[in-house]
Amino acid sequence: MSAPLVLLAAGGTGGHVFPAEALAGALAARGFRLALVTDDRGARYGGELGKLETHRLPLRKMTGGLARKFLGALSLIPGFLAARTLIARLRPAAVVGFGGYPSLPTLAAAAVARVPAALHEQNAVLGRTNRLIAGRADAIAGSFARTRGAPDAVHVGNPVRAAAIGLRASTYVIPAPGGELRLLVTGGSQGASIFGRVVPAAVSALAPELRARLRIVQQTRAEDADAVTAAYAEMGVAAEVAPFFADLPARIADAQIAVARAGASTVAELACIGRPAILVPYPHATDDHQTANAEALAQAGGAWTVADAEFTPAWLAARLEALLADPAPLARMAQAAWGFGKPDAAERLADLVEKLAQRRAA
């Protein structure tokens, strides 16, 4: 008798892919077979998830003008038919959706076929795709203690990359009074441009003796990288600037404070590793979910949160000046962030999925 199959449905963005990959690892270790249902972007993904048997649904993006949105919505029909045929052929023990366009037709097809299905919501607000199918899911798993739009969600946490879990035991180095302060600036896939404008300007506003104590690692847009690098060089500030850091978890671990957007994966990795942060929620995120993510970590004591419109060079310069004068709050925040982390999120989600699969087998 072959091992039971779990079908994972995820869009191609990192926020959907990372948790799906972490769950795949946890379930594979328990003897499950895995297959991935995704879109064009997800089908191009590498990593461990890219090694799975992959099925691409004929879906269009539902972004852009009215015509593109209409065609995108219309593509859900052939997407559902393809997902229904796939489920009938593969006969999975359970289906897990992580949001994004592929989740909707796949979980709808699972409901029609009476295959147990779970949703995982990465953000503190139930996403639009997940809202559309939530009523047909057997279980909803949430990354935060409270998920707006899904009051009955089971709190499992947001599964993070193995690299982040491996750094959970790394020691937070408390900045020494009068010593250096290591600052990580990361904007994620959206909204990094504001950091390219505000952070160098804030650093420039500091007294020269304070600037000399900063060590900066900054992710910025490719088109801004040269200007940001030149700005720090002119100030004599030690800085490493790049559009992308493949070893971002290691960069988080090395930082003494991060300035970041509040995407679900960013918040989860900061908490898992245990690093304090200044979180600037992306104001155009759907349903303002980044503000809810940021507030959850801030309420736990692991971050400060500031609105995009209020994140000015003067505001950041004042915060950095205060921390350079008295870094003691950072140690407390690092400990609070660490306590907020859920390094076992993938295992907790795997427990839930395994129970659903057992229901199918019964």
Side-chain angles (χ1 to χ4, degrees):
M1 183 177 178
S2 62
L5 172 71
V6 173
L7 202 58
L8 308 177
T13 63
H16 300 141
V17 164
F18 292 155
E21 184 173 60
L23 176 64
L27 289 174
R30 301 184 187 200
F32 284 88
R33 293 182 296 123
L34 285 306
L36 173 67
V37 179
T38 188
D39 52 19
D40 285 333
R41 292 175 302 168
R44 293 192 294 267
Y45 180 76
E48 292 303 311
L49 205 61
K51 299 176 184 178
L52 298 183
E53 174 187 333
T54 300
H55 304 274
R56 182 175 58 84
L57 298 183
L59 298 171
R60 291 174 175 263
K61 290 183 180 180
M62 285 181 277
T63 56
L66 287 177
R68 291 188 64 180
K69 288 179 179 177
F70 174 75
L71 290 173
L74 202 62
S75 74
L76 291 172
I77 298 173
F80 167 76
L81 295 174
R84 190 175 66 175
T85 300
L86 182 66
I87 287 174
R89 177 167 61 84
L90 296 180
R91 299 177 60 84
V95 174
V96 186
F98 290 88
Y101 306 135
S103 282
L104 182 57
T106 305
L107 268 78
V112 170
R114 297 186 178 179
V115 175
L119 286 175
H120 180 267
E121 176 55 58
Q122 295 86 50
N123 295 294
V125 179
L126 194 65
R128 290 182 180 177
T129 299
N130 282 348
R131 286 204 301 269
L132 290 171
I133 198 64
R136 307 298 297 272
D138 296 276
I140 300 174
S143 298
F144 294 84
R146 288 179 294 278
T147 302
R148 194 164 75 224
D152 297 328
V154 179
H155 181 207
V156 301
N158 192 11
V160 297
R161 292 175 280 189
I165 296 173
L167 290 164
R168 184 163 171 80
S170 61
T171 301
Y172 178 71
V173 179
I174 302 170
E180 72 176 25
L181 178 65
R182 297 196 296 274
L183 175 67
L184 170 68
V185 183
T186 175
S189 59
Q190 292 181 313
S193 60
I194 190 173
F195 295 144
R197 297 192 307 270
V198 169
V199 180
V203 172
S204 178
L206 297 173
E209 63 272 18
L210 296 182
R211 290 201 300 261
R213 292 167 53 193
L214 292 174
R215 302 291 181 270
I216 299 174
V217 172
Q218 182 162 348
Q219 178 198 10
T220 188
R221 298 190 309 171
E223 55 266 41
D224 298 334
D226 288 344
V228 173
T229 299
Y232 287 133
E234 186 176 347
M235 289 183 264
V237 173
E240 181 180 358
V241 178
F244 177 76
F245 292 106
D247 58 345
L248 186 59
R251 305 288 183 151
I252 292 174
D254 189 59
Q256 291 166 313
I257 185 168
V259 176
R261 289 301 196 187
S265 292
T266 298
V267 171
E269 291 192 348
L270 285 166
C272 182
I273 298 169
R275 296 298 180 263
I278 294 169
L279 297 177
V280 189
Y282 183 58
H284 306 298
T286 305
D287 298 319
D288 198 23
H289 65 254
Q290 285 204 8
T291 294
N293 296 348
E295 288 176 348
L297 185 55
Q299 288 168 7
W304 289 297
T305 181
V306 55
D308 192 87
E310 297 171 5
F311 183 66
T312 63
W315 185 95
L316 181 59
R319 182 69 67 176
L320 291 174
E321 186 173 1
L323 291 174
L324 287 163
D326 178 18
L330 293 177
R332 296 191 294 270
M333 292 174 68
Q335 187 60 40
W338 192 89
F340 187 81
K342 291 288 182 290
D344 61 344
E347 295 297 332
R348 290 156 65 106
L349 181 56
D351 288 342
L352 186 151
V353 174
E354 189 168 13
K355 288 179 182 177
L356 291 180
Q358 289 169 349
R359 182 191 306 176
R360 172 74 165 174

